[in-house]
Amino acid sequence: MPHQYKDSIATSAHSTSPIMTPVKEPGNPPDAIQYIQYHDDTSPHLWSRIRHWNQNAFSEFLGTFVFLLFSFGCTAQYVLGKGEKGDYTTLSLGWGVGIMLGAYTANRSGGHLNPAVTLSMCIYRRFPWSQLPIYALSQTLGAFCAAGVIYGNYKSAIDHFEGHNIRTVPYILSPSNHSSAVNATPTAGIFATYPAPFMTTTGAFFSEFLASAVLMFSPRTEELGSVV
């Protein structure tokens, strides 16, 4: 028996992905299935509506996740391999490939991949302020998820490198004389950067500000400001 189709009750100008949902209606023969066409924003399925209204958020999450998955993975291989599994050249190439793939993955949302990029776009009126919280949250969650995946993948290697359940930062501060010493086996630096002992808070802030500002001058493929 040929299928019958019924238009959705309400449609939206923003709808792009119609969903054909099979529905058996009372009174029809058992093999008669009526298909009702819904759009993502009017679908009775909660996940479809969430996916429709948060496409940019998911895009930034996945883009940041892919970017840092490659970046943290390259750093972990370099640090845990004690320089035998790579050098600064391969490390830099890995980060470059990571940010390229992350920008391509998040192309739909502009590929910001960084709350600082989104904030600067808002300041220069190239991006709505209302989208800043959801973008920043998505990027932060993507970064933490990528770090969690890499940590889980390299946990045994980290235990072997630094000691079972021992995690340290690059510089160890002595409470007695407030001096610091370089740690020979730090692994926290795989997932974050730590200032040198002589670096002041102002100097560290200016360093990060300068690096982010230079990043904003990179070529963009989208009006929203994706960096590749």
Side-chain angles (χ1 to χ4, degrees):
M1 178 177 294
H3 298 310
Q4 298 177 353
Y5 295 87
K6 182 188 296 183
D7 292 335
S8 59
I9 298 175
T11 58
S12 170
H14 301 287
S15 302
T16 56
S17 303
I19 300 175
M20 305 304 296
T21 304
V23 178
K24 288 187 177 180
E25 295 187 349
N28 289 338
D31 58 343
I33 300 178
Q34 188 171 27
Y35 282 80
I36 300 179
Q37 177 175 318
Y38 293 99
H39 291 268
D40 284 345
D41 58 344
T42 59
S43 171
H45 304 294
L46 177 61
W47 174 246
S48 296
R49 297 197 302 272
I50 293 175
R51 184 183 61 185
H52 174 79
W53 293 113
N54 296 280
Q55 293 182 47
N56 288 343
F58 286 125
S59 176
E60 285 296 313
F61 172 86
L62 289 176
T64 308
F65 177 83
V66 170
F67 162 40
L68 292 179
L69 190 72
F70 275 82
S71 303
F72 290 154
C74 292
T75 306
Q77 181 175 335
Y78 171 75
V79 172
L80 301 177
K82 300 179 180 180
E84 298 178 359
K85 305 298 182 181
D87 52 24
Y88 277 111
T89 301
T90 58
L91 184 63
S92 300
L93 289 174
W95 275 78
V97 171
I99 195 171
M100 179 188 69
L101 294 178
Y104 285 150
T105 302
N107 182 63
R108 188 193 188 287
S109 58
H112 294 188
L113 309 181
N114 189 332
V117 175
T118 306
L119 176 62
S120 65
M121 300 297 291
C122 293
I123 292 175
Y124 285 98
R125 299 180 180 180
R126 297 183 61 189
F127 195 74
W129 283 96
S130 60
Q131 295 295 313
L132 175 61
I134 187 64
Y135 264 58
L137 178 62
S138 301
Q139 293 154 358
T140 303
L141 289 176
F144 272 92
C145 288
V149 170
I150 293 300
Y151 179 81
N153 186 59
Y154 285 93
K155 185 179 185 303
S156 298
I158 293 175
D159 287 337
H160 177 75
F161 180 81
E162 192 167 20
H164 184 67
N165 290 333
I166 298 176
R167 306 293 182 262
T168 57
V169 297
Y171 301 99
I172 302 176
L173 180 64
S174 175
S176 58
N177 54 10
H178 300 285
S179 62
S180 60
V182 178
N183 182 16
T185 58
T187 56
I190 296 174
F191 307 100
T193 55
Y194 293 86
F198 58 82
M199 182 67 72
T200 63
T201 303
T202 303
F205 174 82
F206 181 75
S207 176
E208 293 298 319
F209 176 83
L210 180 62
S212 299
V214 171
L215 182 65
M216 291 303 300
F217 284 101
S218 301
R220 293 170 178 81
T221 59
E222 295 289 340
E223 186 178 358
L224 287 177
S226 62
V227 180
V228 294

